Amino acid sequence: MFARPTPPEPERGTGRSFLLALLMHLLLLALLIYGMRWQNSSPAGSQAELWTPAELNPPTPPQPQAPPQPPTPPVAAPVPMPENADIALQKEKRRREEEAAAQAKLLQQEQQQAQAKLQQEILRRQQEQQQAEAAKEKARQQKLAAQQKAAEALKQQQQAQKQAEQKAEQDKIAKQKAEQEAAAKKKAEQEAAAKKKAEQEAAAKKKAAQEAAARKAEEQARQSRLAALRGAAGATGNGLGSASAGNGAGAGGTASPGYADRVRRRVKPNIVYTERNPGNPTTVIQVHLAPDGTLLSQRIVKSSGVPSWDQAVERAVTRSDPLPRDTNGKAPSSFTITFRQND
């Protein structure tokens, strides 16, 4: 899960700064109002007391007087003022006006200075407050950026971990699938090999049975022919031994030069042999035939050293019974044939 960014902390001192700025603005407003009222008010009038020369003289001791008479209503008359007192009063009035103007000017200057200082102080405090707020905002932005960066790094780390876990799971599934396929393939190969082996064994057994049946039939036929030959030989008075012991064909003639090749061409197609042997195994076999080519007997006079090849040659000779007769119409009683595997 993603880390939720921490909310920014509330700024401290904001309320105090606001109240201080408000107070300074109110103070500045009061000073401005007071300055305007002072400039608009007219200076109060000055009063001066004037003394006559008689009044300046020391008083004389009182004299006894007659009993007071009823007062008569006085008649107000303007008292003339000396010229010097007028001038002094005007001078005093001008002096006081000048002093008031000077004081007003000084007060105005002081007010302007105070106002300028106040404005400078307000401006300085505003700048300080702005700088403090800017610093706080910068710190908040930096903190927020750091939090966002940390959250992004955590997110990337979680994504990388999730991708690694997904890849590991996919690799595991792929490995299991490959193992299952390999096991299934191996099982299928084993089953196919077993089936092929069973088929080969069945075919071999069938072939062996067929060969055994064929050999049995051939042996029976050969025995029948031998019995017939023996019967014919007994009737003519010639023994089988003399016929088989001679070197010629029939009554004693020898085989023609090409007869052995003719017999080899007759026997070779019947050789059933699929094994591969080093070299060129060679088997020499001697056969005894009746005059009509019937196989009387056979034996290996020179083995190839490979028993399976020797046995295949013997079976092929048996399958080829009866063998072809010679050019004179009779088969030789005994001769040898050479068989090579690679010829």
Side-chain angles (χ1 to χ4, degrees), residues 205-240:
K205 289 180 180 179
K206 183 178 180 180
K207 185 177 180 180
Q210 291 176 352
E211 290 179 353
R215 285 196 297 271
K216 185 176 180 181
E218 291 174 357
E219 184 65 21
Q220 289 177 355
R222 190 173 67 84
Q223 293 295 335
S224 298
R225 289 194 297 271
L226 289 176
L229 290 173
R230 288 191 184 96
T236 57
N238 293 327
L240 182 61

Side-chain angles (χ1 to χ4, degrees), residues 290-307:
D292 62 351
T294 301
L295 179 65
L296 300 177
S297 65
Q298 61 179 346
R299 68 184 182 88
I300 296 175
V301 295
K302 183 180 180 183
S303 174
S304 64
V306 182

Side-chain angles (χ1 to χ4, degrees), residues 49-101:
E49 294 182 358
L50 299 178
W51 301 86
T52 60
E55 293 175 346
L56 292 176
N57 294 327
T60 59
Q63 299 292 330
Q65 298 179 357
Q69 299 292 330
T72 61
V75 177
V79 179
M81 295 182 64
E83 184 180 357
N84 292 334
D86 236 355
I87 294 172
L89 183 58
Q90 291 178 0
K91 288 182 178 180
E92 183 65 18
K93 183 178 180 180
R94 284 196 301 269
R95 184 183 64 79
R96 290 186 179 183
E97 288 178 355
E98 290 176 359
E99 288 181 356

Side-chain angles (χ1 to χ4, degrees), residues 13-29 118 121-123 125-126 129 133:
T14 305
R16 184 181 302 175
S17 301
F18 179 77
L19 291 176
L20 182 59
L22 181 60
L23 180 61
M24 297 302 291
H25 281 80
L26 290 175
L27 181 59
L28 177 61
L29 181 61
L118 180 60
E121 183 67 18
I122 292 173
L123 182 61
R125 290 182 179 273
Q126 289 178 350
Q129 183 178 359
E133 291 177 354

